[in-house]
Amino acid sequence: SLPHAGAGHPTDRVVVFMADVPDTLQDFKERLISEVHTHNAEIVTDIPPPLDAAGHSDASNRALAKADFSIHLIDQWPGRKILDRKETTYPREQHEIAFAKKMPQLVWVPLGLDIEAIEDKQQRQFLRNCQDRPRELAHYELVKCLQTDFINSVIERIAHCRKPAT
């Protein structure tokens, strides 16, 4: 059974929600997770698909409630579709849920990605939306950079979460 929220939660414990990714980004995701672990942060990830939309939303909301910020790795591939809502995918839905919760988000897209050249219409629109969101809203950050640079940003963010609020 899960410990209830706030049970023995030392202030220096940083919890990161790692959203589902398409297969193309699985290796990067694993690399990121191992880096985060070396910085003594906790990762909440792999909300277990396949779940229906309601079950997935519920599981994602519970996971996000424990996290300090969320990470979303996005490229031209939509990722796995949600069983009873084929128009969306786990990575997209987890991004929307985090955004709706005003969760601080770090969103990564590959350096060379040309959004307008993406063939999947919904994925193209999703990426446009990600790009056009007001940045100050909910500490939303979208970065186009090398994977290594993004890993460094994540590590900085973890350190920043640890700093006691002045």
Side-chain angles (χ1 to χ4, degrees):
S1 71
L2 292 165
H4 62 279
H9 200 67
T11 44
D12 68 341
R13 195 68 175 141
V14 178
V15 182
V16 181
F17 176 84
M18 178 82 231
D20 201 54
V21 301
D23 291 343
T24 45
L25 295 175
Q26 198 61 42
D27 288 348
F28 181 25
K29 177 182 158 182
E30 312 267 314
R31 198 176 135 205
L32 199 51
I33 288 172
S34 62
E35 281 287 338
V36 167
H37 280 146
T38 65
H39 290 266
N40 191 33
E42 201 176 312
I43 287 264
V44 182
T45 192
D46 297 330
I47 303 297
L51 283 169
D52 59 9
H56 172 259
S57 174
D58 186 49
S60 299
N61 273 301
R62 277 203 311 267
L64 281 160
K66 293 188 285 223
D68 293 291
F69 67 94
S70 65
I71 296 175
H72 306 265
L73 311 177
I74 301 168
D75 64 9
Q76 68 267 42
W77 304 105
R80 289 177 284 197
K81 288 189 171 6
I82 292 181
L83 296 181
D84 54 346
R85 281 187 57 208
K86 293 282 188 243
E87 74 283 1
T88 191
T89 65
Y90 292 109
R92 290 207 292 253
E93 194 57 16
Q94 288 175 12
H95 178 279
E96 298 297 350
I97 290 169
F99 196 78
K101 281 181 94 72
K102 299 199 179 353
M103 184 79 199
Q105 281 178 294
L106 273 180
V107 181
W108 176 87
V109 291
L111 206 48
L113 185 67
D114 176 0
I115 292 177
E116 296 314 310
I118 294 173
E119 290 191 20
D120 183 290
K121 194 171 84 243
Q122 280 148 333
Q123 189 66 4
R124 190 168 62 231
Q125 189 53 55
F126 169 62
L127 269 148
R128 279 188 199 134
N129 294 349
C130 287
Q131 205 161 255
D132 299 340
R133 290 196 197 281
R135 296 293 199 269
E136 68 282 2
L137 215 152
H139 331 289
Y140 178 81
E141 213 180 313
L142 178 117
V143 282
K144 254 188 172 177
C145 62
L146 297 171
Q147 293 186 358
T148 313
D149 295 336
F150 185 70
I151 289 173
N152 292 334
S153 305
V154 169
I155 291 162
E156 270 166 42
R157 176 68 68 101
I158 290 168
H160 183 75
C161 287
R162 272 208 180 100
K163 285 197 182 74
T166 44

